[in-house]
Amino acid sequence: LSDSFRAQAAFALFEKYHMAGDGRVRIEFPIHAEYTNQAEPVREFSREVKRLGGRIHLHLSETKAEVENCVKKYGETPPEFFASRGTFDVPAYAAHCVHLSESDLVLLKAHHVIPVHCPSSNMKLASGIAPAARWLREGLSPALGTDGCASNNNLNMFEEMHLAALLARIADGDANALSSRDVLRMATRNGALAQGREDTGVLEIGMKADIAAVSVRAPHMYPDLDPAELLTCSAQGSDVCLTV
């Protein structure tokens, strides 16, 4: 199938199903990465997504080689490549963001791009450690993800929370670099906001129900001294006993 055909199929899917099921169904547009695209199609695709009022998900600055090759080819870093072609004129969230320059950070902040930390994937592929604590200090609203099963295998968000907290402390040499509450917010509220879901991701009156109940009866869940620490440092996906 041609890229044009796939794009048209995606646009048709969006127009037919976006916000179906009382808003539960959301259709978003993946652009994947700079190295799997060409400049002009990215510009055209981004323009059409903006016209439709959609959102874009992509992989960004995952490896050093990706950044170096992009600079060699276009004279731009991957964030600069997408920004100059209108991709960040659309609400966007970007997986990885491991290798960002100072100017890249400024650019992501200016365009309100949400970086998505994928600890297991980055470790499995030796991509590096994403500066998640730095993102928070810079005023970004990072979310947490797994990447696909080919570079992660178990897709366990509880494991991702645990690794995100530990990696940030190793990267910064600071045991308080990324708190359990910061990580929990990345995995919940910030993930909802990345998808444009303003009405969920936090347990509050008036918010839509989006709940995971976690059993605290297993031996590894003791002592239960701090709920946030328990969820990010002890709990596993197998401890979830109910979702609503």
Side-chain angles (χ1 to χ4, degrees):
L1 295 177
S2 69
D3 290 339
S4 176
F5 182 87
R6 285 196 295 264
Q8 292 305 317
F11 298 146
L13 186 72
F14 179 90
E15 296 194 270
K16 185 173 182 179
Y17 290 111
H18 183 58
M19 300 304 290
D22 295 324
R24 293 191 301 274
V25 177
R26 307 284 179 108
I27 306 298
E28 297 177 348
F29 296 96
I31 230 172
H32 189 249
E34 169 273 320
Y35 57 87
T36 52
N37 282 284
Q38 296 178 347
E40 196 52 37
V42 166
R43 191 188 310 277
E44 294 173 3
F45 186 79
S46 301
R47 185 185 302 121
E48 183 64 10
V49 173
K50 182 178 181 180
R51 186 190 70 79
L52 291 170
R55 309 179 77 84
I56 284 180
H57 167 62
L58 66 154
H59 291 224
L60 192 70
S61 299
E62 181 177 357
T63 66
K64 286 183 179 179
E66 173 191 338
V67 175
E68 291 169 355
N69 290 336
C70 186
V71 170
K72 183 177 180 180
K73 187 175 182 180
Y74 295 105
E76 299 172 308
T77 65
E80 290 168 344
F81 170 87
F82 285 112
S84 66
R85 287 155 185 83
T87 306
F88 293 158
D89 294 339
V90 174
Y93 56 105
H96 306 297
C97 296
V98 177
H99 301 281
L100 299 176
S101 67
E102 294 295 322
S103 60
D104 287 339
L105 279 169
V106 172
L107 190 154
L108 294 190
K109 185 176 179 180
H111 288 274
H112 306 289
V113 177
I114 294 177
V116 183
H117 191 15
C118 302
S120 290
S121 174
N122 293 341
M123 293 171 70
K124 181 176 181 179
L125 301 181
S127 300
I129 302 175
R134 173 77 186 278
W135 296 340
L136 285 171
R137 291 195 298 269
E138 294 292 334
L140 294 167
S141 299
L144 193 66
T146 62
D147 205 350
C149 56
S151 65
N152 183 297
N153 299 88
N154 64 11
L155 307 186
N156 182 349
M157 283 292 287
F158 286 87
E159 183 172 296
E160 300 304 324
M161 287 195 290
H162 190 193
L163 291 174
L166 299 186
L167 282 174
R169 297 168 194 190
I170 291 294
D172 285 24
D174 178 3
N176 298 307
L178 197 62
S179 74
S180 290
R181 282 169 175 75
D182 288 334
V183 172
L184 195 58
R185 184 175 178 84
M186 289 168 63
T188 55
R189 179 60 171 163
N190 288 1
L193 293 175
Q195 294 185 328
R197 299 177 185 269
E198 301 279 350
D199 54 1
T200 189
V202 63
L203 298 178
E204 288 183 358
I205 293 172
M207 290 292 190
K208 288 183 177 177
D210 184 12
I211 302 166
V214 179
S215 172
V216 295
R217 294 180 178 176
H220 63 268
M221 298 294 275
Y222 290 89
D224 180 3
L225 303 176
D226 183 314
E229 291 283 340
L230 195 70
L231 288 171
T232 58
C233 295
S234 301
Q236 288 297 312
S238 55
D239 294 311
V240 174
C241 55
L242 173 70
T243 58
V244 178

